[in-house]
Amino acid sequence: RKGANGRVGWGRFTLFAIPIVPIYVTGDGNTEVMNEIQAALTHAGYKVEIAEDAAAGTGKVLVCKVDRFKYNNYTWAFPFVPTWGQTKLDVSLMGPDQGVLWNRQFEGRGTSWLWFANGYSRAAKSSTTKILDNMVSAFSADEFRAALEKPTPEVKSTAQVK
């Protein structure tokens, strides 16, 4: 499953954790992930421009693929409702005609232990906070800065003017 939209987990019941109720993201989860990455880049000292179409640009583009966004809770012990899950992101700095200049995978796990409530938001926020802390460190590292500073080749047109 790719992305952070749609069904992201299950409410589970019985001693065998049988899935009974699907859990869905409200809003646009992918946009929210990109907003958080933009915040991490800004915190690391970069000025961020959002590219509507990454393929159309001639500069470097940071691309994020959501590999996993899955959370579950266990309602058998109600009113105590433990919730757990995981988020995995694959982030790449792409250069025109250069392919991948830099790549990192970020993973975070989150849990919550609440009475009478579902803790999906709290578990997801815990997971995302861990990931963003790691992103700020990665975006501040010399390796990322070197990839950004790598010269971009001149884009040549194959069209002929007559």
Side-chain angles (χ1 to χ4, degrees):
R1 187 177 115 56
K2 303 292 185 253
N5 286 326
R7 185 178 57 80
V8 297
W10 291 94
R12 295 178 179 274
F13 188 68
T14 78
L15 183 60
F16 303 105
I18 297 169
I20 56 169
V21 178
I23 304 301
Y24 295 93
V25 168
T26 56
D28 186 348
N30 292 323
T31 299
E32 289 180 32
V33 168
M34 290 309 295
N35 288 341
E36 295 293 338
I37 291 171
Q38 181 180 0
L41 284 163
T42 302
H43 188 75
Y46 297 100
K47 181 179 181 250
V48 179
E49 294 179 23
I50 303 299
E52 294 300 324
D53 181 10
T58 58
K60 294 177 180 130
V61 177
L62 191 67
V63 178
C64 176
K65 180 175 74 171
V66 179
D67 285 334
R68 184 171 182 90
F69 193 85
K70 185 173 182 180
Y71 292 85
N72 294 285
N73 73 12
Y74 188 62
T75 58
W76 188 62
F78 189 81
F80 179 65
V81 184
T83 303
W84 68 95
Q86 176 182 43
T87 301
K88 288 184 180 179
L89 306 177
D90 185 294
V91 180
S92 299
L93 180 64
M94 308 293 289
D97 300 327
Q98 295 173 306
V100 177
L101 302 173
W102 178 90
N103 176 267
R104 287 289 176 278
Q105 289 78 39
F106 298 94
E107 179 179 341
R109 295 176 184 271
T111 57
S112 68
W113 308 87
L114 299 177
W115 292 96
F116 297 104
N118 97 39
Y120 289 100
S121 295
R122 185 178 287 181
K125 186 67 172 174
S126 171
S127 170
T128 304
T129 299
K130 292 171 191 170
I131 289 172
L132 294 176
D133 288 345
N134 290 332
M135 280 185 179
V136 170
S137 295
F139 296 152
S140 300
D142 291 339
E143 184 181 359
F144 184 76
R145 293 189 191 277
L148 275 175
E149 294 169 1
K150 183 177 179 182
T152 303
E154 182 179 328
V155 177
K156 297 181 181 179
S157 173
T158 57
Q160 296 180 350
V161 179
K162 292 185 180 184

mmCIF file of all heavy atoms in Angstrom, residues 45-90:
data_model
loop_
_atom_site.group_PDB
_atom_site.id
_atom_site.type_symbol
_atom_site.label_atom_id
_atom_site.label_comp_id
_atom_site.label_asym_id
_atom_site.label_seq_id
_atom_site.Cartn_x
_atom_site.Cartn_y
_atom_site.Cartn_z
ATOM 1 N N GLY A 45 16.773 25.096 8.018
ATOM 2 C CA GLY A 45 17.347 26.308 7.443
ATOM 3 C C GLY A 45 17.170 26.491 5.946
ATOM 4 O O GLY A 45 17.797 27.363 5.353
ATOM 5 N N TYR A 46 16.302 25.711 5.321
ATOM 6 C CA TYR A 46 16.102 25.817 3.884
ATOM 7 C C TYR A 46 14.851 26.619 3.554
ATOM 8 O O TYR A 46 13.893 26.632 4.320
ATOM 9 C CB TYR A 46 15.958 24.426 3.252
ATOM 10 C CG TYR A 46 17.185 23.584 3.403
ATOM 11 C CD1 TYR A 46 17.266 22.613 4.400
ATOM 12 C CD2 TYR A 46 18.281 23.760 2.570
ATOM 13 C CE1 TYR A 46 18.403 21.837 4.552
ATOM 14 C CE2 TYR A 46 19.421 22.985 2.716
ATOM 15 C CZ TYR A 46 19.468 22.026 3.709
ATOM 16 O OH TYR A 46 20.590 21.268 3.861
ATOM 17 N N LYS A 47 14.876 27.264 2.390
ATOM 18 C CA LYS A 47 13.683 27.917 1.845
ATOM 19 C C LYS A 47 13.053 26.908 0.896
ATOM 20 O O LYS A 47 13.705 26.395 -0.005
ATOM 21 C CB LYS A 47 14.058 29.191 1.085
ATOM 22 C CG LYS A 47 12.860 29.913 0.518
ATOM 23 C CD LYS A 47 13.286 31.185 -0.194
ATOM 24 C CE LYS A 47 12.050 31.880 -0.727
ATOM 25 N NZ LYS A 47 11.967 31.822 -2.168
ATOM 26 N N VAL A 48 11.790 26.607 1.096
ATOM 27 C CA VAL A 48 11.125 25.542 0.353
ATOM 28 C C VAL A 48 10.147 26.130 -0.656
ATOM 29 O O VAL A 48 9.384 27.029 -0.338
ATOM 30 C CB VAL A 48 10.359 24.602 1.315
ATOM 31 C CG1 VAL A 48 9.646 23.501 0.555
ATOM 32 C CG2 VAL A 48 11.301 24.031 2.350
ATOM 33 N N GLU A 49 10.189 25.600 -1.872
ATOM 34 C CA GLU A 49 9.214 25.940 -2.911
ATOM 35 C C GLU A 49 8.481 24.663 -3.275
ATOM 36 O O GLU A 49 9.115 23.646 -3.541
ATOM 37 C CB GLU A 49 9.907 26.510 -4.145
ATOM 38 C CG GLU A 49 10.587 27.842 -3.896
ATOM 39 C CD GLU A 49 11.282 28.369 -5.149
ATOM 40 O OE1 GLU A 49 10.896 27.971 -6.269
ATOM 41 O OE2 GLU A 49 12.215 29.156 -4.996
ATOM 42 N N ILE A 50 7.173 24.724 -3.300
ATOM 43 C CA ILE A 50 6.371 23.549 -3.628
ATOM 44 C C ILE A 50 6.277 23.432 -5.149
ATOM 45 O O ILE A 50 5.891 24.372 -5.832
ATOM 46 C CB ILE A 50 4.955 23.662 -3.024
ATOM 47 C CG1 ILE A 50 5.029 23.861 -1.512
ATOM 48 C CG2 ILE A 50 4.115 22.437 -3.388
ATOM 49 C CD1 ILE A 50 5.705 22.745 -0.764
ATOM 50 N N ALA A 51 6.626 22.260 -5.684
ATOM 51 C CA ALA A 51 6.542 21.994 -7.122
ATOM 52 C C ALA A 51 5.231 21.278 -7.399
ATOM 53 O O ALA A 51 4.975 20.206 -6.863
ATOM 54 C CB ALA A 51 7.723 21.141 -7.573
ATOM 55 N N GLU A 52 4.383 21.889 -8.222
ATOM 56 C CA GLU A 52 3.113 21.253 -8.571
ATOM 57 C C GLU A 52 3.347 20.001 -9.405
ATOM 58 O O GLU A 52 2.665 19.016 -9.265
ATOM 59 C CB GLU A 52 2.219 22.242 -9.332
ATOM 60 C CG GLU A 52 1.771 23.436 -8.499
ATOM 61 C CD GLU A 52 0.966 23.024 -7.274
ATOM 62 O OE1 GLU A 52 0.192 22.062 -7.350
ATOM 63 O OE2 GLU A 52 1.127 23.675 -6.225
ATOM 64 N N ASP A 53 4.324 20.054 -10.318
ATOM 65 C CA ASP A 53 4.636 18.922 -11.181
ATOM 66 C C ASP A 53 6.145 18.727 -11.170
ATOM 67 O O ASP A 53 6.873 19.449 -11.839
ATOM 68 C CB ASP A 53 4.131 19.183 -12.606
ATOM 69 C CG ASP A 53 4.398 18.023 -13.542
ATOM 70 O OD1 ASP A 53 4.805 16.935 -13.068
ATOM 71 O OD2 ASP A 53 4.205 18.185 -14.750
ATOM 72 N N ALA A 54 6.608 17.753 -10.402
ATOM 73 C CA ALA A 54 8.045 17.537 -10.240
ATOM 74 C C ALA A 54 8.725 17.204 -11.558
ATOM 75 O O ALA A 54 9.870 17.554 -11.781
ATOM 76 C CB ALA A 54 8.298 16.423 -9.232
ATOM 77 N N ALA A 55 8.039 16.536 -12.464
ATOM 78 C CA ALA A 55 8.647 16.144 -13.737
ATOM 79 C C ALA A 55 8.910 17.343 -14.637
ATOM 80 O O ALA A 55 9.803 17.311 -15.470
ATOM 81 C CB ALA A 55 7.749 15.142 -14.459
ATOM 82 N N ALA A 56 8.139 18.408 -14.464
ATOM 83 C CA ALA A 56 8.271 19.565 -15.340
ATOM 84 C C ALA A 56 9.443 20.469 -14.945
ATOM 85 O O ALA A 56 9.898 21.269 -15.736
ATOM 86 C CB ALA A 56 6.982 20.376 -15.338
ATOM 87 N N GLY A 57 9.931 20.347 -13.726
ATOM 88 C CA GLY A 57 10.985 21.240 -13.252
ATOM 89 C C GLY A 57 12.348 20.866 -13.794
ATOM 90 O O GLY A 57 12.600 19.752 -14.242
ATOM 91 N N THR A 58 13.239 21.834 -13.775
ATOM 92 C CA THR A 58 14.611 21.574 -14.216
ATOM 93 C C THR A 58 15.580 21.601 -13.045
ATOM 94 O O THR A 58 16.756 21.359 -13.223
ATOM 95 C CB THR A 58 15.044 22.624 -15.262
ATOM 96 O OG1 THR A 58 14.916 23.922 -14.672
ATOM 97 C CG2 THR A 58 14.200 22.526 -16.508
ATOM 98 N N GLY A 59 15.082 21.889 -11.846
ATOM 99 C CA GLY A 59 15.939 21.925 -10.669
ATOM 100 C C GLY A 59 15.839 20.641 -9.878
ATOM 101 O O GLY A 59 15.247 19.653 -10.293
ATOM 102 N N LYS A 60 16.427 20.659 -8.708
ATOM 103 C CA LYS A 60 16.390 19.491 -7.827
ATOM 104 C C LYS A 60 15.045 19.453 -7.103
ATOM 105 O O LYS A 60 14.496 20.488 -6.748
ATOM 106 C CB LYS A 60 17.547 19.567 -6.839
ATOM 107 C CG LYS A 60 18.879 19.452 -7.549
ATOM 108 C CD LYS A 60 20.035 19.608 -6.604
ATOM 109 C CE LYS A 60 21.309 19.481 -7.413
ATOM 110 N NZ LYS A 60 22.234 20.531 -7.184
ATOM 111 N N VAL A 61 14.553 18.247 -6.886
ATOM 112 C CA VAL A 61 13.246 18.065 -6.266
ATOM 113 C C VAL A 61 13.365 17.003 -5.180
ATOM 114 O O VAL A 61 13.967 15.951 -5.385
ATOM 115 C CB VAL A 61 12.201 17.615 -7.321
ATOM 116 C CG1 VAL A 61 10.854 17.362 -6.669
ATOM 117 C CG2 VAL A 61 12.066 18.637 -8.430
ATOM 118 N N LEU A 62 12.774 17.297 -4.021
ATOM 119 C CA LEU A 62 12.720 16.326 -2.931
ATOM 120 C C LEU A 62 11.403 15.566 -3.064
ATOM 121 O O LEU A 62 10.331 16.163 -3.112
ATOM 122 C CB LEU A 62 12.800 17.030 -1.576
ATOM 123 C CG LEU A 62 13.017 16.129 -0.374
ATOM 124 C CD1 LEU A 62 14.400 15.490 -0.426
ATOM 125 C CD2 LEU A 62 12.859 16.916 0.909
ATOM 126 N N VAL A 63 11.490 14.245 -3.152
ATOM 127 C CA VAL A 63 10.322 13.399 -3.371
ATOM 128 C C VAL A 63 10.152 12.483 -2.164
ATOM 129 O O VAL A 63 11.137 11.925 -1.663
ATOM 130 C CB VAL A 63 10.503 12.543 -4.647
ATOM 131 C CG1 VAL A 63 9.322 11.625 -4.864
ATOM 132 C CG2 VAL A 63 10.728 13.432 -5.855
ATOM 133 N N CYS A 64 8.913 12.318 -1.722
ATOM 134 C CA CYS A 64 8.625 11.431 -0.596
ATOM 135 C C CYS A 64 7.605 10.385 -1.023
ATOM 136 O O CYS A 64 6.564 10.713 -1.573
ATOM 137 C CB CYS A 64 8.077 12.224 0.582
ATOM 138 S SG CYS A 64 7.588 11.169 1.973
ATOM 139 N N LYS A 65 7.922 9.138 -0.729
ATOM 140 C CA LYS A 65 6.992 8.033 -0.970
ATOM 141 C C LYS A 65 6.611 7.475 0.397
ATOM 142 O O LYS A 65 7.479 7.130 1.199
ATOM 143 C CB LYS A 65 7.661 6.973 -1.830
ATOM 144 C CG LYS A 65 6.757 5.788 -2.123
ATOM 145 C CD LYS A 65 7.405 4.812 -3.086
ATOM 146 C CE LYS A 65 8.482 4.049 -2.382
ATOM 147 N NZ LYS A 65 9.033 2.935 -3.131
ATOM 148 N N VAL A 66 5.317 7.414 0.663
ATOM 149 C CA VAL A 66 4.837 6.832 1.915
ATOM 150 C C VAL A 66 4.749 5.323 1.697
ATOM 151 O O VAL A 66 3.893 4.842 0.971
ATOM 152 C CB VAL A 66 3.464 7.403 2.312
ATOM 153 C CG1 VAL A 66 2.971 6.769 3.609
ATOM 154 C CG2 VAL A 66 3.529 8.924 2.448
ATOM 155 N N ASP A 67 5.692 4.595 2.296
ATOM 156 C CA ASP A 67 5.719 3.137 2.135
ATOM 157 C C ASP A 67 4.741 2.435 3.067
ATOM 158 O O ASP A 67 4.201 1.386 2.735
ATOM 159 C CB ASP A 67 7.118 2.591 2.387
ATOM 160 C CG ASP A 67 8.065 2.866 1.234
ATOM 161 O OD1 ASP A 67 7.604 3.007 0.091
ATOM 162 O OD2 ASP A 67 9.280 2.943 1.481
ATOM 163 N N ARG A 68 4.535 3.000 4.244
ATOM 164 C CA ARG A 68 3.636 2.355 5.202
ATOM 165 C C ARG A 68 3.058 3.421 6.131
ATOM 166 O O ARG A 68 3.770 4.271 6.638
ATOM 167 C CB ARG A 68 4.405 1.310 6.018
ATOM 168 C CG ARG A 68 3.560 0.507 6.973
ATOM 169 C CD ARG A 68 4.399 -0.635 7.560
ATOM 170 N NE ARG A 68 3.655 -1.467 8.451
ATOM 171 C CZ ARG A 68 2.966 -2.543 8.097
ATOM 172 N NH1 ARG A 68 2.919 -2.904 6.844
ATOM 173 N NH2 ARG A 68 2.332 -3.263 8.989
ATOM 174 N N PHE A 69 1.762 3.331 6.336
ATOM 175 C CA PHE A 69 1.058 4.191 7.277
ATOM 176 C C PHE A 69 -0.070 3.329 7.819
ATOM 177 O O PHE A 69 -1.138 3.240 7.222
ATOM 178 C CB PHE A 69 0.530 5.438 6.567
ATOM 179 C CG PHE A 69 0.070 6.515 7.505
ATOM 180 C CD1 PHE A 69 0.982 7.416 8.023
ATOM 181 C CD2 PHE A 69 -1.256 6.628 7.873
ATOM 182 C CE1 PHE A 69 0.572 8.416 8.897
ATOM 183 C CE2 PHE A 69 -1.668 7.615 8.746
ATOM 184 C CZ PHE A 69 -0.758 8.510 9.252
ATOM 185 N N LYS A 70 0.204 2.607 8.905
ATOM 186 C CA LYS A 70 -0.746 1.617 9.392
ATOM 187 C C LYS A 70 -0.821 1.663 10.912
ATOM 188 O O LYS A 70 0.209 1.618 11.585
ATOM 189 C CB LYS A 70 -0.335 0.222 8.935
ATOM 190 C CG LYS A 70 -1.343 -0.842 9.297
ATOM 191 C CD LYS A 70 -0.992 -2.162 8.678
ATOM 192 C CE LYS A 70 -2.071 -3.174 9.040
ATOM 193 N NZ LYS A 70 -1.792 -4.470 8.460
ATOM 194 N N TYR A 71 -2.061 1.707 11.430
ATOM 195 C CA TYR A 71 -2.307 1.783 12.871
ATOM 196 C C TYR A 71 -3.486 0.889 13.243
ATOM 197 O O TYR A 71 -4.428 0.741 12.478
ATOM 198 C CB TYR A 71 -2.565 3.234 13.294
ATOM 199 C CG TYR A 71 -1.318 4.052 13.148
ATOM 200 C CD1 TYR A 71 -0.978 4.624 11.926
ATOM 201 C CD2 TYR A 71 -0.426 4.174 14.195
ATOM 202 C CE1 TYR A 71 0.206 5.318 11.771
ATOM 203 C CE2 TYR A 71 0.758 4.859 14.047
ATOM 204 C CZ TYR A 71 1.063 5.423 12.835
ATOM 205 O OH TYR A 71 2.245 6.087 12.676
ATOM 206 N N ASN A 72 -3.419 0.286 14.404
ATOM 207 C CA ASN A 72 -4.465 -0.607 14.898
ATOM 208 C C ASN A 72 -4.733 -0.309 16.368
ATOM 209 O O ASN A 72 -3.872 0.220 17.057
ATOM 210 C CB ASN A 72 -4.008 -2.073 14.786
ATOM 211 C CG ASN A 72 -3.851 -2.506 13.358
ATOM 212 O OD1 ASN A 72 -4.826 -2.740 12.673
ATOM 213 N ND2 ASN A 72 -2.618 -2.604 12.894
ATOM 214 N N ASN A 73 -5.941 -0.679 16.798
ATOM 215 C CA ASN A 73 -6.179 -0.644 18.237
ATOM 216 C C ASN A 73 -6.844 -1.943 18.660
ATOM 217 O O ASN A 73 -7.326 -2.715 17.834
ATOM 218 C CB ASN A 73 -6.944 0.599 18.687
ATOM 219 C CG ASN A 73 -8.396 0.607 18.312
ATOM 220 O OD1 ASN A 73 -8.969 -0.383 17.901
ATOM 221 N ND2 ASN A 73 -9.011 1.760 18.440
ATOM 222 N N TYR A 74 -6.820 -2.173 19.936
ATOM 223 C CA TYR A 74 -7.293 -3.423 20.498
ATOM 224 C C TYR A 74 -8.383 -3.089 21.498
ATOM 225 O O TYR A 74 -8.105 -2.589 22.594
ATOM 226 C CB TYR A 74 -6.107 -4.117 21.164
ATOM 227 C CG TYR A 74 -6.366 -5.518 21.635
ATOM 228 C CD1 TYR A 74 -6.707 -6.513 20.728
ATOM 229 C CD2 TYR A 74 -6.233 -5.839 22.970
ATOM 230 C CE1 TYR A 74 -6.918 -7.805 21.160
ATOM 231 C CE2 TYR A 74 -6.438 -7.136 23.411
ATOM 232 C CZ TYR A 74 -6.783 -8.116 22.491
ATOM 233 O OH TYR A 74 -6.988 -9.392 22.914
ATOM 234 N N THR A 75 -9.646 -3.343 21.115
ATOM 235 C CA THR A 75 -10.775 -2.923 21.943
ATOM 236 C C THR A 75 -11.272 -4.008 22.898
ATOM 237 O O THR A 75 -12.189 -3.771 23.672
ATOM 238 C CB THR A 75 -11.959 -2.474 21.063
ATOM 239 O OG1 THR A 75 -12.336 -3.550 20.200
ATOM 240 C CG2 THR A 75 -11.580 -1.260 20.246
ATOM 241 N N TRP A 76 -10.670 -5.176 22.863
ATOM 242 C CA TRP A 76 -11.127 -6.264 23.722
ATOM 243 C C TRP A 76 -10.992 -5.905 25.193
ATOM 244 O O TRP A 76 -11.762 -6.347 26.030
ATOM 245 C CB TRP A 76 -10.345 -7.538 23.399
ATOM 246 C CG TRP A 76 -10.868 -8.742 24.088
ATOM 247 C CD1 TRP A 76 -12.106 -9.296 23.942
ATOM 248 C CD2 TRP A 76 -10.193 -9.537 25.039
ATOM 249 N NE1 TRP A 76 -12.235 -10.397 24.736
ATOM 250 C CE2 TRP A 76 -11.065 -10.569 25.425
ATOM 251 C CE3 TRP A 76 -8.922 -9.493 25.611
ATOM 252 C CZ2 TRP A 76 -10.710 -11.537 26.352
ATOM 253 C CZ3 TRP A 76 -8.574 -10.464 26.520
ATOM 254 C CH2 TRP A 76 -9.463 -11.469 26.894
ATOM 255 N N ALA A 77 -10.020 -5.104 25.524
ATOM 256 C CA ALA A 77 -9.789 -4.721 26.916
ATOM 257 C C ALA A 77 -10.559 -3.452 27.299
ATOM 258 O O ALA A 77 -10.254 -2.824 28.301
ATOM 259 C CB ALA A 77 -8.293 -4.506 27.147
ATOM 260 N N PHE A 78 -11.553 -3.054 26.476
ATOM 261 C CA PHE A 78 -12.319 -1.838 26.746
ATOM 262 C C PHE A 78 -12.771 -1.820 28.202
ATOM 263 O O PHE A 78 -13.208 -2.830 28.722
ATOM 264 C CB PHE A 78 -13.542 -1.783 25.813
ATOM 265 C CG PHE A 78 -14.264 -0.474 25.861
ATOM 266 C CD1 PHE A 78 -13.801 0.596 25.139
ATOM 267 C CD2 PHE A 78 -15.372 -0.310 26.659
ATOM 268 C CE1 PHE A 78 -14.447 1.814 25.190
ATOM 269 C CE2 PHE A 78 -16.028 0.897 26.721
ATOM 270 C CZ PHE A 78 -15.559 1.960 25.986
ATOM 271 N N PRO A 79 -12.635 -0.711 28.899
ATOM 272 C CA PRO A 79 -12.473 0.661 28.432
ATOM 273 C C PRO A 79 -11.028 1.095 28.192
ATOM 274 O O PRO A 79 -10.771 2.206 27.785
ATOM 275 C CB PRO A 79 -13.092 1.496 29.547
ATOM 276 C CG PRO A 79 -12.809 0.700 30.780
ATOM 277 C CD PRO A 79 -12.893 -0.750 30.339
ATOM 278 N N PHE A 80 -10.092 0.195 28.418
ATOM 279 C CA PHE A 80 -8.686 0.502 28.126
ATOM 280 C C PHE A 80 -8.438 0.136 26.666
ATOM 281 O O PHE A 80 -8.675 -0.995 26.253
ATOM 282 C CB PHE A 80 -7.790 -0.318 29.062
ATOM 283 C CG PHE A 80 -6.328 -0.109 28.858
ATOM 284 C CD1 PHE A 80 -5.750 1.120 29.111
ATOM 285 C CD2 PHE A 80 -5.533 -1.137 28.402
ATOM 286 C CE1 PHE A 80 -4.398 1.311 28.928
ATOM 287 C CE2 PHE A 80 -4.177 -0.962 28.214
ATOM 288 C CZ PHE A 80 -3.617 0.276 28.476
ATOM 289 N N VAL A 81 -7.964 1.121 25.857
ATOM 290 C CA VAL A 81 -7.827 0.907 24.415
ATOM 291 C C VAL A 81 -6.397 1.213 23.960
ATOM 292 O O VAL A 81 -6.054 2.356 23.660
ATOM 293 C CB VAL A 81 -8.824 1.783 23.621
ATOM 294 C CG1 VAL A 81 -8.732 1.481 22.129
ATOM 295 C CG2 VAL A 81 -10.245 1.573 24.122
ATOM 296 N N PRO A 82 -5.526 0.199 23.911
ATOM 297 C CA PRO A 82 -4.173 0.426 23.393
ATOM 298 C C PRO A 82 -4.200 0.559 21.861
ATOM 299 O O PRO A 82 -4.949 -0.143 21.181
ATOM 300 C CB PRO A 82 -3.406 -0.825 23.820
ATOM 301 C CG PRO A 82 -4.443 -1.875 24.023
ATOM 302 C CD PRO A 82 -5.708 -1.174 24.389
ATOM 303 N N THR A 83 -3.409 1.475 21.339
ATOM 304 C CA THR A 83 -3.306 1.710 19.907
ATOM 305 C C THR A 83 -1.830 1.706 19.536
ATOM 306 O O THR A 83 -1.007 2.249 20.266
ATOM 307 C CB THR A 83 -3.941 3.065 19.522
ATOM 308 O OG1 THR A 83 -5.307 3.066 19.959
ATOM 309 C CG2 THR A 83 -3.893 3.303 18.034
ATOM 310 N N TRP A 84 -1.490 1.113 18.403
ATOM 311 C CA TRP A 84 -0.102 1.040 17.970
ATOM 312 C C TRP A 84 -0.052 1.122 16.448
ATOM 313 O O TRP A 84 -1.029 0.855 15.771
ATOM 314 C CB TRP A 84 0.532 -0.254 18.463
ATOM 315 C CG TRP A 84 -0.029 -1.488 17.802
ATOM 316 C CD1 TRP A 84 0.481 -2.133 16.715
ATOM 317 C CD2 TRP A 84 -1.214 -2.184 18.160
ATOM 318 N NE1 TRP A 84 -0.318 -3.201 16.373
ATOM 319 C CE2 TRP A 84 -1.370 -3.261 17.258
ATOM 320 C CE3 TRP A 84 -2.179 -2.027 19.154
ATOM 321 C CZ2 TRP A 84 -2.430 -4.153 17.312
ATOM 322 C CZ3 TRP A 84 -3.233 -2.920 19.202
ATOM 323 C CH2 TRP A 84 -3.351 -3.960 18.296
ATOM 324 N N GLY A 85 1.113 1.500 15.943
ATOM 325 C CA GLY A 85 1.265 1.542 14.500
ATOM 326 C C GLY A 85 2.624 2.015 14.063
ATOM 327 O O GLY A 85 3.528 2.231 14.877
ATOM 328 N N GLN A 86 2.756 2.190 12.751
ATOM 329 C CA GLN A 86 4.050 2.477 12.162
ATOM 330 C C GLN A 86 3.883 3.329 10.902
ATOM 331 O O GLN A 86 2.936 3.152 10.137
ATOM 332 C CB GLN A 86 4.705 1.149 11.807
ATOM 333 C CG GLN A 86 6.010 1.221 11.112
ATOM 334 C CD GLN A 86 6.503 -0.191 10.775
ATOM 335 O OE1 GLN A 86 5.741 -1.030 10.333
ATOM 336 N NE2 GLN A 86 7.776 -0.431 11.003
ATOM 337 N N THR A 87 4.831 4.233 10.698
ATOM 338 C CA THR A 87 4.911 5.022 9.473
ATOM 339 C C THR A 87 6.307 4.845 8.897
ATOM 340 O O THR A 87 7.289 4.915 9.632
ATOM 341 C CB THR A 87 4.671 6.521 9.763
ATOM 342 O OG1 THR A 87 3.384 6.677 10.354
ATOM 343 C CG2 THR A 87 4.747 7.357 8.500
ATOM 344 N N LYS A 88 6.382 4.584 7.582
ATOM 345 C CA LYS A 88 7.667 4.477 6.882
ATOM 346 C C LYS A 88 7.630 5.393 5.669
ATOM 347 O O LYS A 88 6.697 5.338 4.873
ATOM 348 C CB LYS A 88 7.922 3.051 6.406
ATOM 349 C CG LYS A 88 8.239 2.065 7.469
ATOM 350 C CD LYS A 88 8.572 0.712 6.840
ATOM 351 C CE LYS A 88 8.901 -0.312 7.890
ATOM 352 N NZ LYS A 88 9.206 -1.622 7.280
ATOM 353 N N LEU A 89 8.642 6.237 5.559
ATOM 354 C CA LEU A 89 8.762 7.166 4.434
ATOM 355 C C LEU A 89 10.090 6.944 3.719
ATOM 356 O O LEU A 89 11.108 6.703 4.362
ATOM 357 C CB LEU A 89 8.700 8.612 4.920
ATOM 358 C CG LEU A 89 7.499 9.019 5.764
ATOM 359 C CD1 LEU A 89 7.646 10.469 6.217
ATOM 360 C CD2 LEU A 89 6.212 8.829 5.000
ATOM 361 N N ASP A 90 10.064 7.046 2.411
ATOM 362 C CA ASP A 90 11.278 6.976 1.596
ATOM 363 C C ASP A 90 11.429 8.347 0.944
ATOM 364 O O ASP A 90 10.593 8.756 0.138
ATOM 365 C CB ASP A 90 11.136 5.885 0.536
ATOM 366 C CG ASP A 90 12.406 5.683 -0.247
ATOM 367 O OD1 ASP A 90 12.804 6.610 -0.979
ATOM 368 O OD2 ASP A 90 13.011 4.602 -0.136
#
